Every structure is written in structure tokens, then in C-alpha cells.
Amino acid sequence: MTRQRSSSPATAFAVALLDEFVKLGVRDVVLSPGSRSQALALAAAEYERAGLIRLRVRIDERVAGFLALGLAVESRSPVLVITTSGTAVANLHPAVLEAHHSSVPIIVLSADRPDELRGIASNQTTHQPGMFGIAVRREWDVAAPTDDDAPDAAALLARDVIASANGPLHVNLAFREPLSAAVLPIAAAATPSPGPTTLFPEPTTPFPEPTTPSAGPTTTFPEPVEGPEPFAIHPAPGTVVVAGTGAGPRAEEVARELGAPLLAEVASGAHFGPNLVVDYRTLISAANFGDRVERVIVFGHPTLSREVPALIQRDGVTTIVVRSGSGEQYNPGHAVSQSVDSVSVTPDPEPSSAARSWLGRWVMTSRAALEQHDAPAIDIAISSELADQAAFNRAVLAGLRAPVTRRALAEAAWRMTWPHDRLVLGASRLIREVDRYAPGKKITVHANRGLAGIDGTIATAAGIALASQAEGGPAAGGVTRLLLGDLALLHDAGSMLFGRGEVRPRLQVIVGNDGGGTIFDSLEVAASALPESFDRVLYTGHDVSLEQLAAAYGWNYTRVENRGDLDSALTPIEGTTLIEVPLAR
Ligand SMILES: Cc1ncc(C[n+]2csc(CCOP(=O)(O)OP(=O)(O)O)c2C)c(N)n1
Ligand SMILES: [Mg+2]
């Protein structure tokens, strides 16, 4: 352990705490400035200088929280977030909630006043313990370090914290004056820039199960079938596999083993393979498809359609949910019959013709529906008639000059993204567009679907970009693309700030700008409300110049007016780029 003699117990404690976190594999630390947290912040600066951590500094704690979330999602490792006291801590709440609902380990280290200064209206002092309620898996309220025991106490604490890191955690740390002293240089790492040490194995559940009982909410979910034995499922026609966010590749594998259609959302990690049914929303509602479903196997957290929960709640449908994460489990209408930790399939060596046709009809019908779209007629393309060829060329040109539609934008972002890239989707109409039209492809897609907020989207994407592009990282040469709506962008505009000296990753923020929140146009309320009221309180229009916003924050900026320009605009360049795509309301 690095032991520093210090005139400040706060600094001795902070150094020992970081030291132990680093030994336990923590590599990413995000912090926001403040006085009470100075010992932690200055220690973090020293550990960065020694090449032992990657430090990101953000002035806005809401941004810091979502940045940590993105870093943890991509690195599959716990990430520390250091803040000062008061409202600073509360600004982490949105990210902590999202992390809770999607089981992502962000570790909040909040500084606080010691006991004697609490409850007497001291400056910037509120009741921090319990601030995150049920949204943290565990919390600690640690008394101010006072003496030479501080380093040992810190090391024990760090071990306890990391052992519980299966979701967000809150470590509230009281500090007494002197709030810091000089930090002695930390011995440099053997390799200057730490590669991503993955603490946890590849998921079916994204992060490990708790080692301590979680104080999670009580649910009425059926008790999981316990034990090491996976739950055995036998192939049968009438079965579909549904994959929501966080499902992972196991969903695809199970669908193949079962010979079942795979209804995989676009951010499920299972949106690929021969059994994929892209147009699942239409088919669930179609005669001879959805109405023939008898059994649904669910992986992950489906959120993008009304059709999936409706299907699960239909009479005569049995649903088995494969548990993911350690928080609340998916149970629409309380209609789930069984919750299991994992499944095993004994594939049918000779599937019956009924079984083959069940799968074939879903997959073929979905493919045919996608292929009908937009293709200039093939017969005139191969015709030897000059007039036909001219007509074909005109059709192609008109296509290139046409204004960009949501579908064209969604398809382009999908098409341009490769396995060494990352695609992040904001919570607005565009994610549904990608979900509806993206053909199967094994790329890494992320969306904050734990609570589907429009907050923190740029920060999350920046975290994913930084972690994936880190030296030795899985996508070091790639680009991260974020596709989102204009309100989601404006909500998180503060995340466009990269302070002096902060690393800018290769990040393309692609905003479909329709002047407000058009997702509400498709809801019943759009027909029933007074149009002026609807626009004022739901659409919430704006006239922000995104070009000037980009300039203010030092981002590259491109505006895409027609379809032909899309692919070249989405070609990666260094640094942060805002790509504005005007869309019709
Ligand atoms: C933090 C938060 N506040 C409010 C909402 C409700 N909400 C969902 S979508 C949306 C508007 C999105 O508008 P935009 O990003 O422009 O996308 P569009 O629907 O226009 O494609 C809002 C306000 C939310 N999901 N999260
Ligand atoms: Mg919009």
C-alpha cells in the first residue's frame, strides 16, 4: 500500500482509498471540482500523473454521473465519481437511477461535513446519507478520518465497496479540516497508460450478482428457480425469443437452438443471426403470426414496443423470463409465469416441418417487408433500352437529392457502423426507427433504456467513446456515433463542454432536428389536445442554432441537407463532431 505521512488525515485517507481501488482494478475516475472533496480530487490527479488511472474532469455533476455510466457500460468495470457536498451530490441522481435500473456499477464518492457540522445549517451541508434511496445497492456513511488508522480503514472500505459493485453504490465520506495537504508523488505504473483491466466476465447478466444482500425494492416477481442447473426448455412451434436491452448474445443462441423467431430490439446485443425478425412489431399484431404464439422466452429488458408487453399479457401465452441484473425484473401485467437464472436447450435433431415452417414464415415475411422499400425498379435497371436507363438514373439522382427521412437517417447510421465502432441511441423517435428497419448486424449498440430518459445522452456516449477508444481498448481505432433528437441534445448540451486538457474522443453526435419533441405527435393526445396547447407543453419547439452551439463548444459541425450527403457526413474524423440533419415534423 502507498502510505503517505500527511499533516491531513483527509489526504492520507484519500490516497489510501484510491490506492486500494487501483489495486482492485479500478481504472476510470470522473470528478467535479469542490472544496470538501479536495483531498480525493488531488489524490486522483496524482494517480493520473502516475499513469495508474484515467481521470476525466467535468464541472457539472450530472454530466460527470452519465459520463461514468458510459465508461462503466463500455469497460464492464466499476467507475468512481468524486463530488463535493450539497446539491453537487443530488446532480448525480439521474445517472444513479439509470445505473440502478440497468445494473451498472458507478461508485459515488461524495464528500460531506463531519458529524459536528451536520444539522446546524452549515454552508453547503444537507442530509447526504440516504439521498439516493433505493437506487443504490449499498451505501456507507464514513466518519471523518482522524488518525493513523485512516489508511487501513480506507483499504478495508475499498474492498468492501468493490465486492458490492453490481450496480450503483454511494460512499459518503466526511472530511475535517485541514481538508488536504500536499500529496507525495505516486510511483508510476510500469506501463504508462493502463489498459482496460476487465474485472468481470462477458455477460449474460451485465455485472456480477451481489455478494451482499441488495436493498433493492420488493417486487411481486415470481421467485427465481434457484440452483446451478439451468432451466431446460424444449423446442416447440409457437415459441418466440424476445431480446430487450442487455440481453446479450445468449438470446440469439437460444433462438437458434430452439428454432424460434428472434424478436430482438436494436440495443439488445442480439440483433443479428439467421433467426432475427426485424419487423417484429408488425408481425406480432398480424394474423397467423402473433396470435399463434404460445410461449415467449424473454432476455433483457424490452422497452421499445407496446406489442411485446401486450403479447405477454395475452391469454394462452406462457412467458419465461431469464433474469438479468439484480434489480427489478421484467413482468408486464404480472403475467410472467416463470423467472429463471439461465436456460438450456436440447435442440431437436430433426425439426418437424411444422417447426421449420413456424420459423421460416416469420423470418421470410420480415425480410420481404424490408426489401420492398425504396428500391428503384430492378427491371428498368437491367433494361437495354436507353429510355429505361435514363429513367433509372433519374430515379437514383432524385433519391440522392431527396430530403433525409428518419428512416434514411437510421439506416445510414446503422450501415456506417462497424464492429470496432459504437452506436449509441438516444430516447426519441430515432431509436424506434432503427429498431424497425436495421437489418441484423453484430455491432455494439447502447441505449440508456433503464429509465429511457432524454437526459445525459451525450455524456453517456462520450463515456462509451472514451472507454472504447482507450489505448489497447476494444475499439481503439473506431468512432462512437450517437443518434438522438434535438430536445435530447439540448437537454444535455452541457456535456459538449470538454475543459482545457480533457481528451476529446472520436465522437459523432448526429441530431435529427425536427424543432421539438415529435415523439408526442404519434400519441393519442396529439389528436385530442388543443393544437396550441399541445405545441406549447409537449412539442416544446425551439429555434436554437445548433451550428453556433457547436462553435461555442469547439465542435466540428456539418449540416446534411439531402440523402446523398449522409454517408460522407458520417465518415469519421478526429475529435468531436455535431452532425445536424433537418427532419420534417
Ligand atoms: C429526462 C426526461 N425528461 C422527459 C422525458 C420525456 N420525453 C421523452 S421523449 C421526449 C422528447 C424528445 O424529443 P427529441 O429528442 O427532439 O426527439 P423526437 O421525439 O423529436 O425525435 C421527452 C421530453 C424523458 N424521457 N426523459
Ligand atoms: Mg425532435
Side-chain angles (χ1 to χ4, degrees), residues 148-354:
D148 284 349
D149 286 346
D152 295 320
L156 281 176
L157 174 66
R159 276 176 240 147
D160 197 21
V161 169
I162 289 296
S164 310
N166 65 320
L169 303 170
H170 181 193
V171 187
N172 193 52
L173 299 165
F175 291 113
R176 222 174 245 123
E177 306 207 10
L179 292 175
S180 72
V183 181
L184 301 177
I186 310 289
T191 43
S193 171
T197 318
T198 298
L199 291 180
F200 300 123
E202 271 298 295
T204 19
T205 54
F207 294 98
E209 287 304 305
T211 50
T212 47
S214 90
T218 45
T219 83
T220 55
F221 201 67
E223 278 300 297
V225 177
E226 291 295 351
E229 285 297 300
F231 182 79
I233 313 183
H234 301 285
T239 302
V240 295
V241 172
V242 166
T245 308
R250 179 68 182 142
E252 193 274 334
E253 201 173 62
V254 167
R256 258 186 300 119
E257 290 169 353
L258 283 172
L262 172 61
L263 320 186
E265 290 185 353
V266 73
S268 63
H271 193 85
F272 60 90
N275 293 28
L276 181 69
V277 176
V278 176
D279 199 16
Y280 67 93
R281 295 183 61 178
T282 311
L283 291 188
I284 288 177
S285 315
N288 292 323
F289 288 91
D291 53 352
R292 301 278 175 93
V293 172
E294 290 167 21
R295 189 172 55 165
V296 182
I297 320 287
V298 181
F299 290 82
H301 180 205
T303 61
L304 291 178
S305 75
R306 293 179 180 186
E307 288 84 354
V308 163
L311 172 67
I312 289 169
Q313 290 172 71
R314 237 194 30 224
D315 285 344
V317 171
T318 303
T319 299
I320 299 167
V321 165
V322 182
R323 292 170 70 84
S324 58
S326 50
E328 259 167 58
Q329 299 294 318
Y330 185 63
N331 191 2
H334 301 271
V336 169
S337 7
Q338 208 147 15
S339 146
V340 302
D341 284 328
S342 62
V343 293
S344 69
V345 182
T346 322
D348 205 338
E350 265 178 67
S352 65
S353 66

Side-chain angles (χ1 to χ4, degrees), residues 406 427-430 451-455 484-489 491 512 514-520 538-540 542 583:
R406 284 183 186 75
S428 51
R429 279 173 74 176
L430 285 164
L451 288 178
I454 59 165
D455 44 354
L484 83 177
D486 47 309
L487 292 192
L489 171 95
H491 201 293
D514 46 24
T518 61
I519 197 165
F520 304 120
L538 284 154
Y539 174 65
T540 52
H542 65 89
L583 295 173

Side-chain angles (χ1 to χ4, degrees), residues 66 69 93-103 245 265 267 301-305 424-432 446-457 460 484-485 487-488 491 519-520:
F66 278 105
L69 181 91
H93 211 145
V96 165
L97 277 170
E98 175 62 29
H100 168 63
H101 285 275
S102 43
S103 297
T245 308
E265 290 185 353
H301 180 205
T303 61
L304 291 178
S305 75
V424 181
L425 301 168
S428 51
R429 279 173 74 176
L430 285 164
I431 185 172
R432 289 178 171 77
H446 177 75
N448 283 342
R449 300 304 298 176
L451 288 178
I454 59 165
D455 44 354
T457 325
T460 305
L484 83 177
L487 292 192
H491 201 293
I519 197 165
F520 304 120

